[in-house]
Amino acid sequence: MPELDPLIHAPARLQVVTTLSAVSEAEFATLRAALEVSDSVLSKHISALADAGYVRSRKGVQAGRRTTWIALTSTGRKALREHVAALRQLIDVVD
Amino acid sequence: MPELDPLIHAPARLQVVTTLSAVSEAEFATLRAALEVSDSVLSKHISALADAGYVRSRKGVQAGRRTTWIALTSTGRKALREHVAALRQLIDVVD
DNA sequence: GGGTTACTTTCCATGATGGAAAGTATGGTC
DNA sequence: GACCATACTTTCCATCATGGAAAGTAACCC
């Protein structure tokens, strides 16, 4: 059976990493709005992903506001690809 | 964001339902071996799926041994299809 | 009737997840 | 340069999910 990465599989984090895979980076606030979770929850998911080296965050200023940008690392992208490959192996038999 | 069905999303149950989607029914023992979990764990996942109407079990005798066969219901198949559609929406942006 | 088999249920421990609230840091304002 | 507001971050706490071991149950075979 294909191996699912539990760090990536949890719905909230799967949404974070798939969102990030499509862009070079995303704002914290944008992710929070997309996932519809509280600050604390997003922050904790991001730091779990960062601890695994899957994600990197960068702080800066944009239009007079402090912002945190989150991006997938190459490690994270590799882990995502593997996870997605495993998922596809499971779901490709459906339909 | 696409809606993931938590009952189906958990790795163990995702493996159960995707396995079942490819066959008309599967033996309890076969599923247990495929998932590499204990009797109790499989039994609990199956009954969670059965409580939701996603799965049905049938008991009988085969070659002098009692066996339990598990099958997806049409409700379960529909839920799986929807879950898989949601998953695909998330992961299709990868690669 | 009894033993064996094939689950099922109970018990318990551990870890994940989520929000609220408190904490921290830093840019903007005056 | 002090102060305030903002943008997260961390702590606290409650709840739920998950897993295995062990006890329980039922049915088949003898």
Side-chain angles (χ1 to χ4, degrees):
Chain A
M1 287 244 172
E3 289 258 326
L4 300 173
D5 183 335
L7 193 57
I8 292 185
H9 195 64
R13 290 189 300 267
L14 183 60
Q15 295 187 336
V16 167
V17 294
T18 54
T19 299
L20 291 177
S21 83
V23 297
S24 59
E25 53 185 2
E27 290 185 22
F28 184 95
T30 304
L31 286 175
R32 190 193 45 206
L35 301 201
E36 299 181 284
V37 292
S38 63
D39 287 357
S40 61
V41 167
L42 210 215
S43 182
K44 283 181 281 187
H45 284 306
I46 298 289
S47 62
L49 291 168
D51 288 351
Y54 288 1
V55 131
R56 175 179 21 246
S57 65
R58 176 175 75 81
K59 286 159 187 299
V61 178
Q62 188 184 39
R65 297 169 163 271
R66 276 173 302 136
T67 318
T68 301
W69 288 277
I70 319 290
L72 261 192
T73 61
S74 56
T75 304
R77 188 168 300 275
K78 180 162 177 276
L80 208 209
R81 284 210 190 94
E82 289 172 6
H83 185 78
V84 165
L87 269 183
R88 289 194 172 124
Q89 218 179 306
L90 283 174
I91 70 179
D92 277 359
V93 300
V94 179
D95 270 5
Chain B
M1 287 243 172
E3 290 258 324
L4 299 174
D5 183 336
L7 192 57
I8 291 185
H9 195 65
R13 289 188 301 265
L14 183 59
Q15 295 186 337
V16 167
V17 293
T18 53
T19 300
L20 291 178
S21 83
V23 297
S24 59
E25 52 185 3
E27 289 185 21
F28 183 95
T30 304
L31 287 175
R32 191 192 45 208
L35 302 202
E36 299 181 285
V37 292
S38 63
D39 287 357
S40 61
V41 167
L42 211 215
S43 181
K44 282 182 281 187
H45 283 307
I46 297 289
S47 61
L49 291 168
D51 288 351
Y54 287 1
V55 131
R56 175 179 19 247
S57 65
R58 177 175 75 81
K59 287 159 186 298
V61 179
Q62 188 182 42
R65 294 168 165 272
R66 274 171 304 135
T67 318
T68 301
W69 288 276
I70 320 291
L72 260 192
T73 60
S74 56
T75 304
R77 187 169 300 275
K78 179 160 178 277
L80 208 210
R81 283 210 190 96
E82 289 173 5
H83 185 79
V84 165
L87 269 182
R88 289 195 173 124
Q89 217 179 307
L90 283 174
I91 70 179
D92 276 358
V93 301
V94 180
D95 269 5

